[in-house]
Amino acid sequence: MRLSAADPLEGLADIDAANVVRCARTLLRRPLLRLGGPDGELLPLVYRHRVVLGEMFTALLGYRLVVERKFARLYKAGPGADSTRGVQELSPRGYAYVALTMAALTGTGRQVLLSRLVSDVRAAAIEAGMKVVDTIADRRALTAALRHLVSLGVLTETEGTVGSASQDAPAEALITIETDLLGQLLAGPVGDAQDAAHLVTLAARTAPRRVDFQVRRKLVESPVVLYADLAEDEREWLLRNQRRESYLLERCFGLYTETRLEGILAADPEEYLSDVMFPGTSTVARIGLLALPDLLGHDSGDAAGESEVDGAGRRPVTADRVREVCERLVADYPAAWSRQAAEDLDGIVTEVLALFVHMGLAVADGERWWLSPAAARWWPEPDGDPEREVPGPAPEPEVPGWSLFDEEGA
């Protein structure tokens, strides 16, 4: 069956179309899906609809999908220079150890002792020109890399745990290697790469550059897409095809678009495709939400830049201004926040700004942050101010009416 460009799910029964959308959303969230892993119970359904899914991802996003009985791998475009898309548990050195561990595992059999694997990884690091020192920080970075590969299913802790690698005298452990998954991790063709930087570039180009691929990827993978951030041909294409693209995103991925003067936001009503919730229930998310009205107001900048706006409609704000607003919120509602907010206000400010950047609502620029106009979408409208509400008069008691237990004529 060949997919229709206007409707990739045309001709499918309603229940099959719904299952394809469910599988597509799962693969977008988990590009490496495996039996026994998160959402792994959906793998048989992915395998059943693998042809339609593969054609849909290729036709709409230029992504390649590989589906086997035990795993499914969606090869998405790399994030490039976007620092918000990394694994929080991995430091830059931890990422280096992930790559070095994968290199060391290619020459290993199905099982290996933890001590041997650590030795091979450090030998690969020295060969790659890295300085290896046996410090707590270095051991923790290596352990984080091994744990990440365990979470992906590439490594299985058959006996013992990789966590012991962070100890001064690590306990021995037997590690089993899933070679099929190991071969699917890298998104770029290693044989074609001239060096590490070239491999990253190749991984980001999973298909020939096409305007529709580039724009759809941004709409699906990014919380907010501003016209000013698009190339001229991308901006013209999106303005010309907004209505059709909104239909495709909803039909194929369950995303609902909101079009504004400055750009487009693709929202997931089920909040499944986002790894960070905003608004959220944490102290940082709630303080950030309540700070938006002051930060987006005309007095959000410093004296020299109150009315300054860039080409995308963003307004500048400084860390001092964010601290001032957060400090007032913490002081006004002391019982509403965690103890951390009162004891470490500077840390809260840092986390609020990091949350804005991660959600695409701010762009860091030296000592300033440019707040996106899309942040006004979450302008809070509280029902009231519990700290300052004045109780009104008590309501008059209601007079009992006629009852079903009353006798007629009584």
Side-chain angles (χ1 to χ4, degrees):
M1 179 181 64
R2 183 170 295 277
L3 297 182
S4 167
D7 184 356
L9 304 180
E10 184 179 2
L12 293 178
D14 290 344
I15 188 170
D16 288 334
N19 284 333
V20 169
V21 173
R22 182 186 177 193
C23 293
R25 287 166 54 82
T26 302
L27 289 166
L28 286 174
R29 174 69 185 269
R30 306 192 188 282
L32 181 57
L33 190 66
R34 61 183 176 87
L35 288 177
D39 294 321
E41 69 280 358
L42 205 62
L43 191 56
L45 196 61
V46 172
Y47 188 84
R48 176 184 175 185
H49 296 289
R50 62 190 182 279
V51 175
V52 176
L53 285 166
E55 291 183 357
M56 186 172 75
F57 277 118
T58 300
L60 296 184
L61 299 172
Y63 290 166
R64 181 168 63 95
L65 177 64
V66 175
V67 182
E68 302 290 346
R69 291 284 186 181
K70 294 183 178 181
F71 69 87
R73 174 69 161 105
L74 179 65
Y75 288 89
K76 300 161 61 172
D82 189 349
S83 61
T84 67
R85 299 301 179 92
V87 179
Q88 293 183 353
E89 293 78 13
L90 291 177
S91 64
R93 193 168 185 85
Y95 268 107
Y97 273 131
V98 169
L100 291 167
T101 302
M102 292 170 58
L105 290 174
T106 57
T108 308
R110 286 280 298 170
Q111 289 187 322
V112 63
L113 292 174
L114 177 62
S115 58
R116 172 64 184 274
L117 178 58
V118 171
S119 176
D120 289 347
V121 170
R122 287 177 172 166
I126 294 174
E127 184 179 351
M130 280 181 58
K131 183 179 180 181
V132 178
V133 289
D134 190 18
T135 62
I136 294 178
D138 188 77
R139 291 197 297 268
R140 286 177 177 173
L142 175 55
T143 301
L146 295 176
R147 283 176 171 162
H148 181 59
L149 291 174
V150 169
S151 70
L152 293 176
V154 174
L155 299 181
T156 301
E157 298 166 311
T158 304
E159 293 182 15
T161 172
V162 298
S164 64
S166 61
Q167 302 172 3
D168 291 333
E172 193 60 274
L174 180 63
I175 309 300
T176 300
I177 305 160
E178 297 295 335
T179 54
D180 291 340
L181 288 180
L182 176 63
Q184 300 292 335
L185 286 188
L186 288 180
V190 179
D192 297 338
Q194 301 171 0
D195 51 36
H198 190 212
L199 178 61
V200 173
T201 301
L202 293 175
R205 292 195 324 225
T206 55
R209 188 188 187 281
R210 282 176 34 180
V211 174
D212 55 341
F213 286 168
Q214 300 297 322
V215 177
R216 287 198 197 103
R217 289 175 182 178
K218 292 176 181 179
L219 290 171
V220 170
E221 304 287 356
S222 304
V224 178
V225 175
L226 300 178
Y227 296 130
D229 294 336
L230 297 175
E232 183 177 355
D233 57 343
E234 296 174 349
R235 182 168 56 252
E236 292 178 355
W237 183 89
L238 182 56
L239 288 171
R240 189 170 61 250
N241 297 282
Q242 281 180 0
R243 182 172 298 180
R244 185 192 67 183
E245 293 307 305
S246 295
Y247 171 79
L248 284 175
L249 292 179
E250 180 180 351
R251 173 73 165 151
C252 301
F253 305 115
L255 297 174
Y256 293 84
T257 59
E258 298 180 11
T259 303
R260 298 291 186 268
L261 180 64
E262 298 87 358
I264 294 180
L265 178 143
D268 177 16
E270 297 181 8
E271 297 184 344
Y272 172 78
L273 292 180
S274 178
D275 56 343
V276 177
M277 297 297 107
F278 187 80
T281 58
S282 68
T283 291
V284 172
R286 288 185 291 132
I287 288 182
L289 178 68
L290 295 176
L292 285 178
D294 285 336
L295 298 179
L296 291 172
H298 290 293
D299 59 344
S300 63
D302 52 11
E306 291 182 353
S307 59
E308 187 177 359
V309 178
D310 71 359
R314 299 186 183 96
R315 292 182 177 276
V317 67
T318 63
D320 290 339
R321 175 58 178 161
V322 177
R323 192 184 197 285
E324 175 187 337
V325 174
C326 292
E327 187 175 18
R328 177 180 57 77
L329 289 170
V330 171
D332 284 352
Y333 312 103
W337 320 115
S338 65
R339 182 179 300 178
Q340 176 190 6
E343 296 178 350
D344 185 17
L345 191 60
D346 289 336
I348 291 294
V349 170
T350 300
E351 292 185 45
V352 166
L353 288 170
L355 176 62
F356 287 163
V357 172
H358 192 94
M359 291 301 300
L361 302 180
V363 176
D365 179 21
E367 297 182 355
R368 296 195 298 180
W369 284 260
W370 292 84
L371 290 181
S372 169
R377 177 185 187 270
W378 289 280
W379 194 291
E381 296 181 359
D383 296 331
D385 190 343
E387 298 289 334
R388 297 176 176 78
E389 284 183 352
V390 178
E396 295 290 336
E398 294 184 5
V399 178
W402 179 81
S403 170
L404 290 175
F405 297 97
D406 290 343
E407 297 181 4
E408 291 188 21

